[in-house]
């Protein structure tokens, strides 16, 4: 039997609070999605004024980061570097703003953010993850 770490409700709440605080500090209107290691949604919030499409995009970024075990910026760069066949991967949003949650070298979940510049989406996601102290 393998024992592995997993996100608890308290972890998810801490991540969400940290991400929301970063977004509010900068007056960024975003959607924030937190997924488990299988890409399943654990938490979602859309701040007032966030674009409607950010609902779907943030969840897709979280799922993509969980599946790939890497930041979605790396996936976006794969396509940007000409590997267009990567676009055929189903149900993933290949845009910067999804960050995996890595603990002891293992992905235990991911955060996806959408609503502002993709690089700022990543800042928000990383701020949330930082609340775990990992």
């Amino acid at each position: 039997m393998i024992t592995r770490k997993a996100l608890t409700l308290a972890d998810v709440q801490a991540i969400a609070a940290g991400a929301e605080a970063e977004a509010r500090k900068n007056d960024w209107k975003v959607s924030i999605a937190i997924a488990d290691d299988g890409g399943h949604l654990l938490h979602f919030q859309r701040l007032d004024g966030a674009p409607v499409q950010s609902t779907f995009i943030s969840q897709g970024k979280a799922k993509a980061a969980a599946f790939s075990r890497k930041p979605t910026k790396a996936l976006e760069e794969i396509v940007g570097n000409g590997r267009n066949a990567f676009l055929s991967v189903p149900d993933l949003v290949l845009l910067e703003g999804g960050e995996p949650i890595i603990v002891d070298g293992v992905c235990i979940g991911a955060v996806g953010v959408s609503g502002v510049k993709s690089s700022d989406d990543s800042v928000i996601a990383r701020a949330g993850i930082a609340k775990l102290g990992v």
Side-chain angles (χ1 to χ4, degrees), residues 47-93:
L47 301 183
D48 292 340
V52 173
Q53 70 271 20
S54 69
T55 299
F56 172 81
I57 295 169
S58 62
Q59 292 176 48
K61 288 178 179 183
K63 185 176 180 181
F67 280 3
S68 68
R69 289 12 188 184
K70 60 181 74 172
T72 54
K73 179 179 181 179
L75 306 178
E76 182 178 4
E77 289 172 349
I78 290 170
V79 175
N81 289 329
R83 181 84 168 111
N84 295 330
F86 201 71
L87 292 170
S88 66
V89 177
D91 299 326
L92 301 182
V93 175

Side-chain angles (χ1 to χ4, degrees), residues 20-44:
E20 180 181 347
E22 183 68 21
R24 290 192 186 284
K25 176 178 86 174
N26 294 288
D27 196 32
W28 290 335
K29 297 163 178 49
V30 298
S31 290
I32 302 164
I34 303 170
D36 67 12
D37 62 332
H40 304 100
L41 189 64
L42 297 175
H43 173 87
F44 174 78

